[in-house]
Amino acid sequence: MRKKLLIQFMIVWGVCVSAYAREQQTSDTCTVLKMNLDTPDLESLREPEIIRLVNRVLALKEPKLDVMGRATWVLYNIRSERVRECYVMWALAEKLDRGDNTFIEHIFTDMDLCSVSEKLINRARELVALYEPLQPGKDAPDFELESSDGKTVRLHDLQGKPLYIEVWKLDSANCRKDLARLEELKSEHKNVQFVTVVVEPLGKKEAWKQFLRDNGHEGKGIHLFADENATFREAYRIKSIPRCILFDAKGKFLIPWSVSPGNEYFLYFLSMLKQQQGNKMK
């Protein structure tokens, strides 16, 4: 009897908690929807707080807007130059870090129409200029990295075949799965060179080599090490990891931001190498 009463109590208690949570969520949503982003109060917040708040409010008020759509909304609806600069620069970086520059002219047109400060326009152009070299068909920046067997490898050394590079980290489960998938791809696509570049502090170099040994990657293919502060990371704008890059046989970018081997469209991306080279991939 007591057990039955306890079960009934727990059920009622659970229903009450759920109802309270829904009520609180509804209340929070209403509060957010009533927020006025065009207020001097936002200027007192730190930049990350401004970005989070704007995203939270616009996710509810304008759910169909993407990142750049929100940036445009901010330009037209918020007068604070600090808030504009903070959010627009963040949105630009978010898109550029994913290899998307299709919006560039539109956002500069919006900035001109909204009469933003020269400071914001100059900062935005400087940021875009950093990504300008990373475009399909352009010569990729050369690099000089240490391989797992202690040799120095340059991009020039890897020319002659279409090249796929995956930039990864030791603590990423998805990256580790990608490495296993790359071993399969090496035998399936012998006309493509597959290379990995791990980005870690210098102190983790031995842990990286141990991982390669423990997982059967040692002596198979080319595995490179890039100090997390290396020029490679800056030249290739490595912000999010994994980062996958496709090159043609002459060291030019084919797809500076490719999908990873675990993506269902990865083989389509590889087929672009085949079309570009005119070779039969095996």
Side-chain angles (χ1 to χ4, degrees):
M1 184 69 175
R2 288 181 180 178
K3 186 176 181 181
K4 184 177 181 180
L5 288 173
L6 178 60
I7 292 173
Q8 290 175 340
F9 169 77
M10 292 299 291
I11 292 173
V12 173
W13 180 77
V15 170
C16 291
V17 169
S18 297
Y20 176 76
R22 286 195 298 272
E23 184 178 339
Q24 285 296 108
Q25 186 177 18
T26 302
S27 176
D28 291 344
T29 299
C30 290
T31 300
V32 171
L33 286 171
K34 291 177 182 178
M35 281 186 181
N36 177 19
L37 292 176
D38 189 23
T39 170
D41 293 341
L42 260 69
E43 294 194 348
S44 63
L45 300 177
R46 295 183 297 111
E47 287 194 3
E49 293 171 337
I50 291 173
I51 294 166
R52 281 196 297 269
L53 182 59
V54 171
N55 279 330
R56 186 181 179 197
V57 172
L58 292 185
L60 293 172
K61 285 188 174 183
E62 303 288 346
K64 294 183 179 180
L65 294 180
D66 64 3
V67 170
M68 291 315 299
R70 292 178 186 179
T72 297
W73 188 97
V74 167
L75 286 171
Y76 282 95
N77 292 280
I78 296 181
R79 286 167 290 184
S80 167
E81 282 296 329
R82 180 169 183 270
V83 174
R84 282 173 159 186
E85 182 175 345
C86 169
Y87 193 84
V88 170
M89 290 302 296
W90 172 81
L92 270 172
E94 280 290 295
K95 296 292 277 186
L96 289 168
D97 284 339
R98 288 165 173 74
D100 185 356
N101 65 352
T102 56
F103 59 89
I104 296 290
E105 292 306 319
H106 295 295
I107 197 65
F108 280 108
T109 298
D110 289 330
M111 283 192 277
D112 288 337
L113 290 173
C114 294
S115 302
V116 300
S117 67
E118 283 297 316
K119 179 184 176 183
L120 172 54
I121 293 175
N122 290 337
R123 281 193 66 195
R125 292 202 181 281
E126 288 171 3
L127 181 62
V128 171
L130 289 175
Y131 288 83
E132 182 59 30
L134 280 72
Q135 301 296 325
K138 293 200 171 185
D139 291 324
D142 202 3
F143 55 73
E144 188 173 292
L145 299 172
E146 182 182 339
S147 67
S148 55
D149 57 3
K151 297 178 181 178
T152 297
V153 176
R154 300 173 181 82
L155 178 61
H156 179 77
D157 302 327
L158 302 172
Q159 293 179 14
K161 284 184 178 183
L163 171 66
Y164 168 88
I165 288 181
E166 172 148 359
V167 185
W168 66 292
K169 290 186 74 68
L170 281 169
D171 60 1
S172 169
N174 287 334
C175 289
R176 293 181 178 218
K177 289 179 182 178
D178 284 352
L179 261 66
R181 174 65 177 138
L182 287 179
E183 290 301 327
E184 300 174 8
L185 292 169
K186 286 176 186 177
S187 60
E188 297 171 8
H189 303 284
K190 294 181 180 178
N191 284 0
V192 177
Q193 191 159 210
F194 295 92
V195 174
T196 71
V197 178
V198 71
V199 175
E200 293 287 354
L202 285 173
K204 286 195 173 182
K205 186 182 290 186
E206 289 306 316
W208 163 65
K209 291 182 179 179
Q210 188 62 49
F211 170 83
L212 295 178
R213 286 193 291 268
D214 292 345
N215 291 273
H217 301 303
E218 187 179 39
K220 297 180 179 179
I222 299 174
H223 301 283
L224 307 177
F225 185 92
D227 180 349
E228 60 179 1
N229 298 315
T231 54
F232 169 81
R233 189 167 188 173
E234 184 63 27
Y236 282 82
R237 309 302 298 171
I238 306 297
K239 300 296 182 182
S240 57
I241 292 178
R243 167 74 179 282
C244 307
I245 312 168
L246 289 178
F247 307 78
D248 68 15
K250 296 181 179 180
K252 295 181 182 291
F253 283 120
L254 184 61
I255 308 176
W257 278 266
S258 175
V259 298
S260 68
N263 188 290
E264 61 179 317
Y265 296 109
F266 180 74
L267 292 180
Y268 167 75
F269 277 62
L270 277 186
S271 73
M272 295 181 69
L273 284 176
K274 176 182 176 181
Q275 294 170 12
Q276 194 272 338
Q277 284 301 111
N279 292 330
K280 184 177 181 180
M281 297 171 63
K282 298 180 181 180

